[in-house]
Amino acid sequence: MRVVRSLQAMQKISRQLRQRHQSIGFVPTMGALHEGHLSLVDRARRENRIVVVSIFVNPRQFGLREDLARYPRPFRKDLQLCEKKKVDFIFYPTLRQMYPEDFHTHVEVEDLSEVLCGKSRPGHFRGVATVVTKLFNIILPHRAYFGRKDAQQAVVIQRMVKDLNMAVSVKVMPTVREKDGLAMSSRNTHLKPQERKDAVVLSESLSLARKLITGGEKSAATIIDRMRNHIAKKPSAKTDYIAIVNGKTLEPVKKVCAGCLIALAVRIGKTRLIDNYIA
Ligand code: AMP
Protein backbone atom coordinates (compact mmCIF):
# COMPACT_ATOMS: atom_id res chain seq x y z
CA MET A 1 0.00 0.00 0.00
CA ARG A 2 1.28 3.44 -0.86
CA VAL A 3 0.30 6.76 0.70
CA VAL A 4 0.31 9.52 -1.90
CA ARG A 5 0.25 13.10 -0.68
CA SER A 6 0.98 14.91 -3.91
CA LEU A 7 -1.95 15.62 -6.17
CA GLN A 8 0.27 15.57 -9.27
CA ALA A 9 1.81 12.24 -8.27
CA MET A 10 -1.63 10.71 -7.73
CA GLN A 11 -2.89 11.94 -11.07
CA LYS A 12 0.19 10.54 -12.81
CA ILE A 13 -0.30 7.14 -11.16
CA SER A 14 -3.98 7.10 -12.16
CA ARG A 15 -3.12 7.94 -15.76
CA GLN A 16 -0.57 5.14 -15.90
CA LEU A 17 -3.05 2.67 -14.41
CA ARG A 18 -5.61 3.65 -17.01
CA GLN A 19 -3.04 3.29 -19.81
CA ARG A 20 -2.40 -0.24 -18.54
CA HIS A 21 -6.17 -0.88 -18.58
CA GLN A 22 -6.30 -1.52 -14.83
CA SER A 23 -9.69 -0.74 -13.37
CA ILE A 24 -9.69 1.81 -10.53
CA GLY A 25 -12.22 1.59 -7.70
CA PHE A 26 -12.36 4.71 -5.55
CA VAL A 27 -13.69 5.24 -2.02
CA PRO A 28 -13.73 8.91 -0.95
CA THR A 29 -13.66 9.41 2.83
CA MET A 30 -12.87 11.95 5.49
CA GLY A 31 -11.01 9.30 7.50
CA ALA A 32 -11.85 8.03 11.00
CA LEU A 33 -12.68 4.82 9.19
CA HIS A 34 -15.20 2.33 10.53
CA GLU A 35 -17.00 -0.76 9.24
CA GLY A 36 -19.26 1.43 7.08
CA HIS A 37 -16.29 2.79 5.13
CA LEU A 38 -14.67 -0.64 5.05
CA SER A 39 -17.77 -2.18 3.47
CA LEU A 40 -17.24 0.22 0.56
CA VAL A 41 -13.56 -0.74 0.39
CA ASP A 42 -14.49 -4.46 0.36
CA ARG A 43 -16.87 -3.91 -2.52
CA ALA A 44 -14.29 -1.84 -4.41
CA ARG A 45 -11.71 -4.59 -3.77
CA ARG A 46 -14.03 -7.19 -5.27
CA GLU A 47 -14.86 -5.18 -8.37
CA ASN A 48 -11.58 -3.54 -9.35
CA ARG A 49 -7.92 -4.28 -10.02
CA ILE A 50 -6.80 -1.21 -8.05
CA VAL A 51 -8.42 0.36 -4.97
CA VAL A 52 -7.81 3.97 -4.02
CA VAL A 53 -9.11 5.42 -0.74
CA SER A 54 -8.91 9.16 -0.23
CA ILE A 55 -8.70 10.64 3.25
CA PHE A 56 -9.39 14.35 3.25
CA VAL A 57 -11.40 16.30 5.80
CA ASN A 58 -12.88 18.77 3.36
CA PRO A 59 -13.32 22.15 5.07
CA ARG A 60 -15.59 23.38 2.28
CA GLN A 61 -18.38 21.03 3.27
CA PHE A 62 -18.44 22.26 6.86
CA GLY A 63 -20.39 25.33 7.89
CA LEU A 64 -18.81 28.07 10.00
CA ARG A 65 -20.32 26.82 13.24
CA GLU A 66 -19.91 23.13 12.46
CA ASP A 67 -17.54 20.52 13.86
CA LEU A 68 -14.54 20.82 11.48
CA ALA A 69 -12.02 21.41 14.30
CA ARG A 70 -13.19 18.47 16.38
CA TYR A 71 -13.66 16.06 13.48
CA PRO A 72 -11.65 12.90 14.43
CA ARG A 73 -8.38 12.31 12.54
CA PRO A 74 -6.90 8.96 13.63
CA PHE A 75 -4.65 8.68 10.57
CA ARG A 76 -2.40 5.83 11.79
CA LYS A 77 -5.34 3.63 12.66
CA ASP A 78 -6.92 4.41 9.27
CA LEU A 79 -3.71 3.30 7.55
CA GLN A 80 -3.71 0.00 9.41
CA LEU A 81 -7.34 -0.66 8.50
CA CYS A 82 -6.68 0.09 4.82
CA GLU A 83 -3.57 -2.09 4.84
CA LYS A 84 -5.63 -5.01 6.18
CA LYS A 85 -8.19 -4.49 3.43
CA LYS A 86 -5.48 -4.56 0.76
CA VAL A 87 -6.02 -1.02 -0.43
CA ASP A 88 -3.46 -0.11 -3.09
CA PHE A 89 -3.27 3.65 -2.68
CA ILE A 90 -4.29 6.12 -0.01
CA PHE A 91 -4.62 9.60 -1.40
CA TYR A 92 -4.02 11.95 1.51
CA PRO A 93 -3.64 15.43 0.06
CA THR A 94 -2.78 18.60 1.91
CA LEU A 95 -5.31 21.37 2.25
CA ARG A 96 -3.18 23.79 0.23
CA GLN A 97 -2.86 21.37 -2.67
CA MET A 98 -6.59 20.84 -2.82
CA TYR A 99 -7.45 24.51 -2.34
CA PRO A 100 -4.63 26.83 -3.37
CA GLU A 101 -5.13 30.49 -2.56
CA ASP A 102 -6.39 31.28 -6.05
CA PHE A 103 -9.08 28.57 -6.00
CA HIS A 104 -12.32 29.93 -7.49
CA THR A 105 -14.46 27.16 -8.97
CA HIS A 106 -17.37 25.32 -7.41
CA VAL A 107 -19.84 22.68 -8.52
CA GLU A 108 -23.42 23.33 -7.54
CA VAL A 109 -26.16 20.74 -7.96
CA GLU A 110 -29.22 22.94 -7.84
CA ASP A 111 -32.40 22.13 -5.91
CA LEU A 112 -31.23 18.72 -4.65
CA SER A 113 -28.63 20.54 -2.54
CA GLU A 114 -31.05 22.93 -0.91
CA VAL A 115 -33.49 20.54 0.76
CA LEU A 116 -33.20 18.17 3.76
CA CYS A 117 -29.63 18.44 5.12
CA GLY A 118 -28.94 21.28 2.68
CA LYS A 119 -31.47 23.45 4.53
CA SER A 120 -29.66 23.30 7.84
CA ARG A 121 -26.22 23.05 6.23
CA PRO A 122 -26.13 25.72 3.50
CA GLY A 123 -23.16 25.23 1.17
CA HIS A 124 -22.55 21.67 2.38
CA PHE A 125 -23.43 19.90 -0.86
CA ARG A 126 -21.63 22.51 -2.94
CA GLY A 127 -18.54 21.60 -0.91
CA VAL A 128 -19.19 17.89 -1.41
CA ALA A 129 -19.87 18.17 -5.16
CA THR A 130 -16.77 20.29 -5.65
CA VAL A 131 -14.39 18.03 -3.74
CA VAL A 132 -15.79 14.87 -5.34
CA THR A 133 -15.34 16.41 -8.80
CA LYS A 134 -11.75 17.29 -7.95
CA LEU A 135 -11.09 13.80 -6.57
CA PHE A 136 -12.63 12.18 -9.66
CA ASN A 137 -10.37 14.31 -11.88
CA ILE A 138 -7.29 13.33 -9.88
CA ILE A 139 -8.02 9.64 -9.31
CA LEU A 140 -9.81 8.96 -12.62
CA PRO A 141 -11.84 6.08 -11.16
CA HIS A 142 -13.89 3.65 -13.20
CA ARG A 143 -16.15 3.09 -10.20
CA ALA A 144 -16.74 5.18 -7.08
CA TYR A 145 -18.37 3.87 -3.92
CA PHE A 146 -20.66 5.83 -1.62
CA GLY A 147 -22.77 4.88 1.40
CA ARG A 148 -26.55 4.94 1.52
CA LYS A 149 -26.20 6.36 5.03
CA ASP A 150 -25.64 9.73 3.34
CA ALA A 151 -28.62 9.25 1.04
CA GLN A 152 -28.88 12.86 -0.11
CA GLN A 153 -25.18 12.95 -0.88
CA ALA A 154 -25.58 9.86 -3.06
CA VAL A 155 -28.49 11.47 -4.93
CA VAL A 156 -26.53 14.71 -5.43
CA ILE A 157 -23.44 12.86 -6.71
CA GLN A 158 -25.46 10.65 -9.05
CA ARG A 159 -27.17 13.72 -10.48
CA MET A 160 -23.87 15.56 -10.87
CA VAL A 161 -22.23 12.61 -12.63
CA LYS A 162 -25.18 12.33 -15.00
CA ASP A 163 -25.56 16.07 -15.65
CA LEU A 164 -21.85 16.64 -16.25
CA ASN A 165 -21.30 13.39 -18.19
CA MET A 166 -18.59 12.19 -15.85
CA ALA A 167 -17.19 8.82 -16.91
CA VAL A 168 -17.57 7.21 -13.49
CA SER A 169 -19.96 4.51 -12.37
CA VAL A 170 -21.41 5.50 -8.98
CA LYS A 171 -22.19 2.60 -6.63
CA VAL A 172 -24.29 3.16 -3.52
CA MET A 173 -23.87 0.61 -0.73
CA PRO A 174 -26.17 -0.26 2.19
CA THR A 175 -25.79 1.38 5.60
CA VAL A 176 -23.69 -0.56 8.08
CA ARG A 177 -25.05 -0.42 11.64
CA GLU A 178 -23.97 -1.08 15.20
CA LYS A 179 -25.64 -4.04 16.94
CA ASP A 180 -28.37 -1.81 18.41
CA GLY A 181 -29.20 -0.31 15.01
CA LEU A 182 -27.29 2.99 15.19
CA ALA A 183 -25.83 3.78 11.77
CA MET A 184 -22.04 3.80 11.98
CA SER A 185 -20.59 7.27 11.68
CA SER A 186 -17.27 8.92 12.46
CA ARG A 187 -19.31 11.38 14.53
CA ASN A 188 -20.56 8.66 16.90
CA THR A 189 -17.24 8.98 18.77
CA HIS A 190 -18.39 12.43 19.94
CA LEU A 191 -21.32 10.94 21.86
CA LYS A 192 -21.16 10.78 25.64
CA PRO A 193 -22.25 7.40 27.14
CA GLN A 194 -25.87 8.46 27.76
CA GLU A 195 -26.04 10.18 24.36
CA ARG A 196 -24.77 7.02 22.69
CA LYS A 197 -27.70 5.15 24.24
CA ASP A 198 -30.16 7.87 23.19
CA ALA A 199 -28.80 7.89 19.62
CA VAL A 200 -30.62 4.67 18.91
CA VAL A 201 -33.81 6.74 18.52
CA LEU A 202 -32.86 7.52 14.93
CA SER A 203 -32.95 3.89 13.77
CA GLU A 204 -35.80 3.12 16.16
CA SER A 205 -37.95 5.82 14.61
CA LEU A 206 -37.17 4.43 11.15
CA SER A 207 -38.18 0.94 12.32
CA LEU A 208 -41.38 2.47 13.64
CA ALA A 209 -42.00 4.02 10.20
CA ARG A 210 -41.35 0.69 8.54
CA LYS A 211 -43.79 -1.02 10.89
CA LEU A 212 -46.47 1.59 10.21
CA ILE A 213 -45.96 1.25 6.46
CA THR A 214 -46.15 -2.55 6.52
CA GLY A 215 -49.29 -2.16 8.62
CA GLY A 216 -50.86 -0.18 5.76
CA GLU A 217 -50.23 3.42 6.86
CA LYS A 218 -49.67 5.63 3.82
CA SER A 219 -49.92 9.17 5.16
CA ALA A 220 -46.47 10.80 5.30
CA ALA A 221 -47.71 13.36 7.86
CA THR A 222 -48.94 10.64 10.24
CA ILE A 223 -45.70 8.66 9.97
CA ILE A 224 -43.59 11.79 10.50
CA ASP A 225 -45.65 12.72 13.56
CA ARG A 226 -45.21 9.30 15.11
CA MET A 227 -41.46 9.40 14.46
CA ARG A 228 -41.18 12.90 15.92
CA ASN A 229 -43.05 11.84 19.09
CA HIS A 230 -40.81 8.84 19.52
CA ILE A 231 -37.66 10.96 19.25
CA ALA A 232 -39.03 13.59 21.64
CA LYS A 233 -39.01 10.99 24.44
CA LYS A 234 -35.21 11.30 24.72
CA PRO A 235 -34.16 14.49 26.51
CA SER A 236 -30.81 14.74 24.67
CA ALA A 237 -32.47 14.45 21.23
CA LYS A 238 -33.58 17.41 19.17
CA THR A 239 -35.07 16.74 15.74
CA ASP A 240 -33.60 18.83 12.93
CA TYR A 241 -35.89 17.36 10.27
CA ILE A 242 -37.87 14.26 9.39
CA ALA A 243 -38.93 14.02 5.76
CA ILE A 244 -40.54 11.57 3.40
CA VAL A 245 -39.49 12.38 -0.15
CA ASN A 246 -39.24 10.98 -3.63
CA GLY A 247 -35.98 8.99 -3.67
CA LYS A 248 -34.73 10.65 -6.89
CA THR A 249 -36.06 14.22 -6.85
CA LEU A 250 -36.09 14.60 -3.04
CA GLU A 251 -39.46 16.32 -3.32
CA PRO A 252 -41.83 15.72 -0.40
CA VAL A 253 -44.58 13.18 -0.93
CA LYS A 254 -47.94 13.06 0.84
CA LYS A 255 -48.43 9.32 0.43
CA VAL A 256 -45.65 6.83 0.98
CA CYS A 257 -44.81 4.74 -2.08
CA ALA A 258 -42.15 2.19 -3.06
CA GLY A 259 -38.79 3.90 -3.48
CA CYS A 260 -39.66 6.79 -1.15
CA LEU A 261 -36.85 8.00 1.06
CA ILE A 262 -37.58 8.49 4.74
CA ALA A 263 -34.75 10.63 6.05
CA LEU A 264 -34.02 12.35 9.31
CA ALA A 265 -31.41 14.41 11.11
CA VAL A 266 -31.37 14.60 14.88
CA ARG A 267 -29.08 16.42 17.25
CA ILE A 268 -28.02 14.23 20.16
CA GLY A 269 -26.47 16.74 22.53
CA LYS A 270 -24.06 18.66 20.30
CA THR A 271 -23.72 15.93 17.71
CA ARG A 272 -25.87 15.97 14.58
CA LEU A 273 -26.66 12.48 13.28
CA ILE A 274 -28.50 11.36 10.16
CA ASP A 275 -30.16 8.16 9.05
CA ASN A 276 -32.67 7.00 6.46
CA TYR A 277 -34.65 4.13 5.08
CA ILE A 278 -36.00 3.47 1.61
CA ALA A 279 -39.62 2.29 1.64
P1 AMP B 1 -17.36 10.17 5.37
O1 AMP B 1 -15.97 9.78 5.76
O2 AMP B 1 -18.29 10.31 6.53
O3 AMP B 1 -17.39 11.31 4.40
O4 AMP B 1 -17.94 8.93 4.57
C1 AMP B 1 -17.28 8.39 3.45
C2 AMP B 1 -18.20 7.43 2.75
O5 AMP B 1 -18.56 6.37 3.64
C3 AMP B 1 -19.51 8.09 2.31
O6 AMP B 1 -19.86 7.62 1.02
C4 AMP B 1 -20.49 7.62 3.35
O7 AMP B 1 -21.82 7.57 2.88
C5 AMP B 1 -19.96 6.23 3.64
N1 AMP B 1 -20.44 5.79 4.96
C6 AMP B 1 -20.34 6.46 6.13
N2 AMP B 1 -20.96 5.78 7.12
C7 AMP B 1 -21.46 4.65 6.55
C8 AMP B 1 -22.21 3.53 7.04
N3 AMP B 1 -22.56 3.44 8.31
N4 AMP B 1 -22.55 2.57 6.17
C9 AMP B 1 -22.19 2.65 4.85
N5 AMP B 1 -21.49 3.67 4.33
C10 AMP B 1 -21.12 4.65 5.16
Side-chain angles (χ1 to χ4, degrees), residues 30-264:
M30 298 205 297
L33 304 181
H34 50 65
E35 288 299 325
H37 298 112
L38 298 180
S39 72
L40 308 183
V41 173
D42 281 340
R43 187 61 178 256
R45 184 67 285 164
R46 283 208 296 279
E47 294 182 348
N48 301 276
R49 172 78 172 78
I50 300 292
V51 175
V52 183
V53 172
S54 66
I55 298 181
F56 180 62
V57 183
N58 174 34
R60 296 195 180 223
Q61 68 188 67
F62 286 79
L64 278 181
R65 285 175 296 132
E66 289 184 2
D67 56 351
L68 174 63
R70 70 170 188 148
Y71 200 84
R73 291 166 170 86
F75 184 63
R76 269 173 199 282
K77 187 175 161 230
D78 288 349
L79 282 193
Q80 286 167 1
L81 291 170
C82 287
E83 188 104 60
K84 257 198 207 150
K85 291 288 179 189
K86 305 213 178 322
V87 169
D88 297 287
F89 295 95
I90 303 226
F91 180 50
Y92 180 52
T94 63
L95 185 60
R96 269 289 152 255
Q97 282 222 24
M98 287 296 274
Y99 300 113
E101 268 166 24
D102 57 355
F103 187 86
H104 272 87
T105 307
H106 291 91
V107 180
E108 186 115 28
V109 181
E110 291 173 353
D111 302 329
L112 296 177
S113 297
E114 280 120 50
V115 295
L116 308 177
C117 286
K119 244 192 217 162
S120 39
R121 305 187 71 189
H124 169 69
F125 289 108
R126 176 171 119 135
V128 169
T130 302
V131 81
V132 170
T133 300
K134 283 175 69 70
L135 291 167
F136 282 0
N137 285 335
I138 296 161
I139 288 156
L140 312 174
H142 295 82
R143 301 179 190 88
Y145 298 81
F146 294 85
R148 176 74 64 203
K149 208 264 289 175
D150 299 272
Q152 185 174 10
Q153 169 172 282
V155 172
V156 166
I157 298 296
Q158 283 170 316
R159 171 52 50 192
M160 173 185 90
V161 162
K162 184 159 187 285
D163 285 354
L164 299 183
N165 311 97
M166 294 179 173
V168 185
S169 163
V170 172
K171 308 271 185 172
V172 185
M173 298 295 126
T175 302
V176 177
R177 297 176 179 281
E178 302 284 357
K179 279 205 183 76
D180 65 357
L182 175 66
M184 289 193 182
S185 162
S186 309
R187 289 188 167 97
N188 293 349
T189 56
H190 295 323
L191 299 168
K192 297 183 185 133
Q194 185 57 48
E195 292 173 348
R196 169 64 189 81
K197 285 186 190 150
D198 292 354
V200 79
V201 279
L202 280 93
S203 59
E204 275 177 5
S205 68
L206 290 168
S207 302
L208 172 64
R210 188 193 314 230
K211 219 169 83 191
L212 291 168
I213 293 165
T214 25
E217 182 58 68
K218 290 232 171 342
S219 158
T222 306
I223 296 166
I224 290 172
D225 256 10
R226 292 285 301 274
M227 291 172 73
R228 196 181 297 282
N229 291 340
H230 181 73
I231 293 164
K233 287 182 198 153
K234 301 279 182 207
S236 72
K238 202 166 161 264
T239 300
D240 175 359
Y241 71 82
I242 304 171
I244 305 186
V245 298
N246 177 297
K248 287 210 168 73
T249 64
L250 303 183
E251 283 163 357
V253 296
K254 286 203 166 79
K255 298 252 171 273
V256 175
C257 52
C260 271
L261 174 69
I262 307 180
L264 77 166

